Amino acid sequence: MERRILITTDRDEIAPRFDLAMEVLILRLAEGGEIVARKSLLLAHPSADELCNLILERDMDAVVCGGIEEEYSHYLRWKRVEVFDGVIGSVAAVIDRLRTGTLNPGDIVGFSGAPA
Amino acid sequence: MNISLLDILDALPVGCIVLDPHRRVRTLNAAMESLLGYARDEVAGLPCRHVLRSRRCIQNCPHASDGAPSPGGRTDCLSRHRRIIPINLTPVRLTTDQGAVYLDIVEDLSPIHSLEARLNQTATEDSLVGRSPAMERILRLVPMVAGHSAPILITGETGTGKGRLAHAIHKASPRARQPFIRFSCGPMAEEILEAELFGKTAPAPQPGRFQQAQGGTLYLAEIESLPPSIQTRLLRFLDEGTIQPQGGHPMRVDVRLMASTMTDPATLAAAGRLCENLFHRLAAVRLDLPPLRERPEDVAFLLHYFREHFAQRLKKNISGFTPKALSMLHAHPFPGNVRELKNIMEFAVLVCPEGDVRPQHLPGYLLRQPQRRGRKE
């Protein structure tokens, strides 16, 4: 089944904080891990509330982000959105992990010294 | 004398991150590990903005220019445990023979914020009530023991308000704005209990109650139910300030531990159900809540207190008690203590249409008791 995933980004890295993210990358991944669609969005201003609305409006299945406040993490999980939080690393390495289904919350990937 | 820079940094009460000129983390001191929830080895080599997650660093990094760092100031950071922490950030740049070393000095402003909150908040009358000398003595102790981080052992029968007392101490403490995590150590598989308390790293990282209580207070009810191996790990936490999640490395946590038991802890220790060392460490500050039958002065006060409380909540005009209802209530021994008295009053106010509470508004088991006592007498 196809999955819709939103990644909060800061240029080519995962944005350090969900509430301060200004860019997002929206991916549609086929069941086998192929990227069906990829779209970047620039946000008008950072806002955790608006990001949550965007995630729900676009019917995302999962979110990949850096640090996120407990209440937003709970809210998204309550809305049945899978939250991969605390992720540190490059967007490319994170997408590789998503495609192979090996990404976990708290993973550090793609930085020198960290496992790719 | 052979003291390393890290030894010195570890002794400081403020958090420090040592960075290389590319603003990657070289190391963290102990206070920073405790604040952020990351071990220094985990984050070495990572860009500091991903570790500190400070608003200031993300929006306008103070080390971005080649010259002197721009001034720091008040900002916030986001810990690994998903908590926003108010901080004061001071960037420092040192030039050594081997090149430049950047430092971020981070002062946790949570205590100041909690002090502000405490000053804006009236004391703890709402959460703990009692007019007897025994309760007044405990209420007088609350602000004194609240100011320290020593562990606390609370004893008392069921329903005496051990959890409320723990919460009142937390609310009066400098940790008031930080989490108060309550955990009942009832019967549970040891492995699950370990993960619940100390967290686990696989298959996905899951914070335990200690991590959730970071900066605040962890209250463990029924401490005697913990298996000996977990009691030993609690002892290690009290001695070293570190915990070890399942499958993870030891990590520092800044948590004040409070524990309670319904049984005399000395008896538990003698019976081997409570590790003696743990008992002595916890009992540094010990508060014994007397049962309601030993403080009859409180019964009348609490009856009126909860009558008013529930009348207000249920929007009813309940003026008092008939003499017979009052004598029945005074004759009851309240084995469930304050919790039972509170439940009786909630029932009575719910059933009583208006005016005085009469015997028929009291729970059925109370109506039967005077006869039994009468026969005894």
Side-chain angles (χ1 to χ4, degrees):
Chain A
M1 208 172 74
E2 200 175 277
R3 295 186 82 209
R4 285 178 294 274
I5 302 166
L6 182 142
I7 307 173
T8 58
T9 58
D10 180 10
R11 286 166 292 182
D12 56 352
E13 293 173 358
I14 303 299
R17 262 170 70 161
F18 181 80
D19 60 334
L20 301 178
M22 293 283 285
E23 306 166 25
V24 295
L25 175 66
I26 294 175
L27 288 182
R28 275 171 53 207
L29 286 185
E31 197 166 355
E34 301 84 28
I35 298 175
V36 178
R38 178 183 179 132
K39 188 177 179 183
S40 291
L41 292 179
L42 279 178
L43 307 176
H45 54 264
S47 161
D49 289 8
E50 289 179 20
L51 255 178
C52 286
N53 285 338
L54 179 72
I55 289 160
L56 299 177
E57 272 169 16
R58 304 256 174 156
D59 205 14
M60 292 291 139
D61 298 303
V63 173
V64 180
C65 59
I68 183 171
E69 252 191 290
E70 185 76 19
E71 61 176 316
Y72 292 106
S73 161
H74 269 177
Y75 175 71
L76 291 171
R77 287 188 169 115
W78 178 59
K79 291 286 184 181
R80 302 193 174 188
V81 178
E82 193 175 4
V83 180
F84 296 94
D85 70 325
V87 175
I88 301 175
S90 70
V91 174
V94 165
I95 292 175
D96 283 346
R97 290 268 183 115
L98 282 170
R99 293 179 64 188
T100 52
T102 53
L103 185 71
N104 289 303
D107 274 355
I108 300 171
V109 288
F111 278 125
S112 56
Chain B
M1 195 165 62
N2 186 16
I3 301 174
S4 73
L5 175 64
L6 194 56
D7 289 333
I8 296 169
L9 292 179
D10 274 346
L12 295 178
V14 291
C16 294
I17 304 186
V18 184
L19 309 170
D20 68 15
H22 304 291
R23 289 174 274 154
R24 284 174 182 259
V25 175
R26 279 186 172 172
T27 192
L28 311 177
N29 75 343
M32 202 72 223
E33 285 184 317
S34 170
L35 190 74
L36 295 180
Y38 282 112
R40 57 189 64 146
D41 296 340
E42 281 179 285
V43 295
L46 295 177
C48 68
R49 62 186 177 282
H50 290 284
V51 178
L52 184 58
R53 294 186 184 127
S54 154
R55 184 178 295 269
R56 176 81 164 85
C57 301
I58 293 166
Q59 294 179 333
N60 183 17
C61 172
H63 293 293
S65 67
D66 287 336
S70 55
R74 283 193 177 202
T75 177
D76 61 25
C77 69
L78 183 58
S79 78
R80 183 185 209 170
H81 309 305
R82 307 189 186 106
R83 199 164 59 85
I84 295 273
I85 305 166
I87 56 167
N88 192 50
L89 177 70
T90 309
V92 177
R93 194 169 301 175
L94 306 170
T95 309
T96 66
D97 298 344
Q98 284 98 37
V101 174
Y102 298 1
L103 271 178
D104 277 336
I105 313 288
V106 176
E107 186 188 358
D108 180 3
L109 298 181
S110 307
I112 293 170
H113 282 227
S114 69
L115 180 64
E116 279 172 357
R118 267 198 299 149
L119 294 176
N120 292 332
Q121 182 189 331
T122 50
T124 56
E125 297 100 76
D126 283 349
S127 57
L128 230 109
V129 286
R131 290 286 166 87
S132 63
M135 281 309 289
E136 282 191 348
R137 185 178 158 272
I138 286 175
L139 287 170
R140 273 200 306 275
L141 283 173
V142 167
M144 294 178 204
V145 299
H148 300 277
S149 280
I152 294 181
L153 181 64
I154 302 171
T155 64
E157 289 180 9
T158 180
T160 44
K162 298 182 289 294
R164 277 172 175 264
L165 177 60
H167 194 231
I169 295 169
H170 169 78
K171 279 290 170 198
S173 78
R175 297 168 180 265
R177 277 172 63 95
Q178 305 306 324
F180 176 78
I181 302 292
R182 192 188 295 250
F183 183 73
S184 177
C185 313
M188 208 183 292
E190 191 169 329
E191 199 174 316
I192 297 172
L193 192 58
E194 185 190 353
E196 287 285 330
L197 275 175
F198 304 109
K200 59 180 181 182
T201 55
Q206 180 191 307
R209 296 296 193 279
F210 270 96
Q211 292 94 324
Q212 289 169 0
Q214 177 68 8
T217 303
L218 175 61
Y219 168 63
L220 300 177
E222 301 170 57
I223 184 107
E224 72 276 14
S225 302
L226 289 176
S229 62
I230 305 275
Q231 290 191 23
T232 309
R233 293 178 64 174
L234 284 183
L235 190 61
R236 183 179 166 195
F237 160 73
L238 290 172
D239 286 337
E240 299 170 12
T242 59
I243 58 159
Q244 186 164 5
Q246 259 178 6
H249 302 290
M251 61 186 295
R252 281 177 197 279
V253 282
D254 172 24
V255 171
R256 183 182 202 182
L257 191 65
M258 296 188 200
S260 74
T261 173
M262 288 191 282
T263 317
D264 173 37
T267 311
L268 289 171
R273 289 179 60 198
L274 183 62
C275 166
E276 199 153 348
N277 287 342
L278 180 64
F279 163 51
H280 290 301
R281 286 289 275 116
L282 283 174
V285 178
R286 178 174 162 178
L287 299 171
D288 300 308
L289 278 169
L292 203 48
R293 64 179 174 280
E294 287 178 15
R295 43 186 175 113
E297 318 86 303
D298 273 345
V299 174
F301 169 72
L302 289 169
L303 285 172
H304 288 286
Y305 175 86
F306 285 120
R307 174 184 56 77
E308 280 175 19
H309 172 80
F310 287 115
Q312 206 170 22
R313 188 197 277 187
L314 299 170
K315 297 185 173 55
K316 283 192 160 184
N317 183 19
I318 310 293
S319 47
F321 303 88
T322 63
K324 192 170 179 194
L326 206 54
S327 72
M328 284 172 70
L329 286 164
H330 278 293
H332 184 61
F334 292 104
N337 290 295
V338 182
R339 187 186 294 127
E340 186 190 4
L341 185 147
K342 186 182 168 192
N343 291 344
I344 289 172
M345 286 322 299
E346 185 170 14
F347 180 90
V349 173
L350 203 67
V351 174
C352 179
E354 65 172 351
D356 285 346
V357 172
R358 294 165 177 276
Q360 62 264 37
H361 302 141
L362 300 176
Y365 74 98
L366 279 186
L367 302 176
R368 293 188 292 274
Q369 273 188 344
Q371 292 163 2
R372 283 208 301 272
R373 250 195 307 280
R375 275 201 298 274
K376 268 186 188 173
E377 284 159 11

